[in-house]
């Protein structure tokens, strides 16, 4: 995810302080990985340097000064271009899981056991996501569906690989 573009998009609704941007980001996108304040402020500094935001005001308070940021026309254009650009599909051709299976076979370790343990972990996470989806709002349901579909694809791969382990072992040992 492009944090800079996401913060710019959040600024399109109006100027905000860094604290407000972090809170909005975490609420909408960061439930599983909230932003650190340092990440917000370093990103805003870069956006400011690149002319995509301006400081709309500075408020003095009991603590450090609070800068209020506003998006510029260049920032709006940048977000529009980012939104219009399709994301590159991730083909997962360098899967860590595949690497582990091959290395287990090459080193005489239990590849079938590795697949069983991984399958159990996928199923555990799928149960957790299904609970979250059932109890969540529409945004939670959609993000959980996305993750569940990927996990389902992984499970299909795990089953297919388990069924082909002997053939794979024979092929890689040649």
């Amino acid at each position: 995810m492009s944090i800079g573009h996401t913060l710019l998009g959040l600024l399109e609704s109006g100027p905000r302080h860094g604290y407000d941007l972090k809170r909005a980001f975490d609420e909408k996108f960061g439930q599983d990985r909230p932003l650190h304040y340092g990440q917000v402020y370093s990103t805003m500094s870069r956006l400011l340097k690149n002319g995509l935001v301006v400081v709309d005001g500075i408020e003095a308070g009991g603590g450090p000064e609070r800068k209020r940021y506003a998006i510029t026309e260049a920032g709006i254009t940048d977000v529009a271009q980012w939104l219009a650009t399709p994301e590159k599909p991730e083909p997962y051709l360098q899967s860590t899981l595949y690497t582990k299976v091959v290395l287990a076979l090459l080193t005489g370790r239990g590849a079938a056991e590795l697949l069983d343990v991984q399958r159990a972990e996928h199923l555990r996470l799928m149960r957790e996501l299904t609970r979250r989806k059932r109890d969540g709002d529409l945004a939670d349901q959609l993000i959980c569906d996305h993750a569940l579909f990927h996990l389902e694809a992984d499970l299909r791969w795990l089953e297919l690989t388990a069924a082909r382990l002997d053939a794979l072992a024979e092929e890689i040992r040649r």
Side-chain angles (χ1 to χ4, degrees):
M1 173 189 319
S2 170
I3 293 170
H5 287 111
T6 305
L7 294 176
L8 284 172
L10 291 171
L11 282 173
E12 282 202 46
S13 65
R16 297 182 191 215
H17 296 98
Y19 174 83
D20 297 328
L21 285 167
K22 180 201 177 337
R23 193 177 66 226
F25 181 97
D26 289 352
E27 184 180 295
K28 300 282 186 210
F29 312 108
Q31 291 179 354
D32 296 315
R33 276 196 287 172
L35 281 180
H36 296 286
Y37 284 105
Q39 195 172 10
V40 172
Y41 293 110
S42 65
T43 302
M44 296 311 296
S45 177
R46 189 181 77 251
L47 295 172
L48 185 63
K49 180 180 158 196
N50 293 336
L52 302 176
V53 298
V54 293
V55 174
D56 187 54
I58 298 176
E59 297 173 12
E65 293 180 335
R66 292 179 39 158
K67 293 179 184 176
R68 187 175 56 245
Y69 298 95
I71 192 168
T72 63
E73 286 300 318
I76 292 170
T77 300
D78 197 56
V79 171
Q81 289 173 344
W82 179 67
L83 290 173
T85 304
E87 289 297 309
K88 181 181 177 205
E90 297 290 333
Y92 302 110
L93 292 177
Q94 289 296 322
S95 166
T96 303
L97 195 48
Y98 171 77
T99 302
K100 284 183 170 188
V101 169
V102 170
L103 285 175
L105 291 171
L106 285 173
T107 61
R109 291 181 172 91
E113 292 80 7
L114 183 152
L115 292 171
D116 288 342
V117 168
Q118 191 63 52
R119 184 181 306 104
E121 181 60 17
H122 271 63
L123 291 170
R124 182 201 62 75
L125 182 55
M126 289 175 82
R127 285 189 297 276
E128 184 180 310
L129 288 168
T130 301
R131 266 191 304 280
R132 178 175 164 185
K133 178 181 163 180
R134 184 182 54 241
D135 298 337
D137 60 11
L138 182 58
D140 247 359
Q141 292 168 14
L142 289 171
I143 197 70
C144 287
D145 279 339
H146 186 263
L148 285 164
F149 292 148
H150 282 273
L151 290 168
E152 286 172 6
D154 285 351
L155 279 178
R156 288 194 309 271
W157 181 85
L158 289 166
E159 294 300 324
L160 179 66
T161 303
R164 295 179 172 176
L165 264 183
D166 291 338
L168 179 61
E170 192 176 306
E171 188 173 302
I172 64 170
R173 288 184 183 139
R174 283 190 231 169

